[in-house]
Each structure stands twice: as structure tokens, then as C-alpha cells.
Amino acid sequence: TTEMLASVLEIIDTLPSKQQMVLRLKHIEGMEVEDIARVAQMRIDAVYQNLSRARRSILQKFKNERR
């Protein structure tokens, strides 16, 4: 729903900047991890790590918000 999307977008805004950047590049811009690593000047494993942390934080915060 629109309400859920708004909630997730608000949560994304609370993430650390690197996590926000890689998440937006991957899921909004549709970039591949290798391209994100090049653009962000990060190692590929760091991109994966930041994506994982961002997704985990969003899920946890979203679950807590829904209680």
C-alpha cells in the first residue's frame, strides 16, 4: 500500500549514508553491484555488506513500527 511504501522510504532516510546510497542505486536505479562498486569507489564485498545491513535494518525497523 501507499502507507507501507511511505513508511519504508522514511526508514531508508534514517540509514547511514553509504547504506542509503547502495540501496537506492541497486533497487531504485537498478544498477548492478559491480557498477555500484565502481561509482561509489567501494569494493564489491563492501557493497554487498552495505546492502545486507540496509535490508536488515529496514526489515527490523518496519516490523517494530507495525507493532
Side-chain angles (χ1 to χ4, degrees):
T1 66
T2 305
E3 183 181 301
M4 292 170 97
L5 178 59
S7 179
V8 170
L9 292 173
E10 285 179 22
I11 293 169
I12 290 172
D13 288 339
T14 69
L15 296 174
S17 60
K18 283 185 183 180
Q19 291 178 19
Q20 286 185 42
M21 177 180 60
V22 297
L23 192 77
R24 287 189 168 111
L25 290 174
K26 177 70 175 156
H27 295 293
I28 296 173
E29 300 296 326
M31 292 178 68
E32 297 295 327
V33 171
E34 294 79 10
D35 295 328
I36 296 169
R38 186 172 24 79
V39 168
Q41 298 180 333
M42 298 170 70
R43 296 186 347 214
I44 290 174
D45 62 323
V47 173
Y48 280 115
Q49 186 177 51
N50 277 283
L51 280 171
S52 178
R53 288 178 179 167
R55 291 172 182 150
R56 190 176 19 220
S57 291
I58 291 168
L59 182 60
Q60 181 179 15
K61 290 177 182 183
F62 187 74
K63 284 181 178 179
N64 289 341
E65 196 175 273
R66 303 297 283 175
R67 290 184 183 170

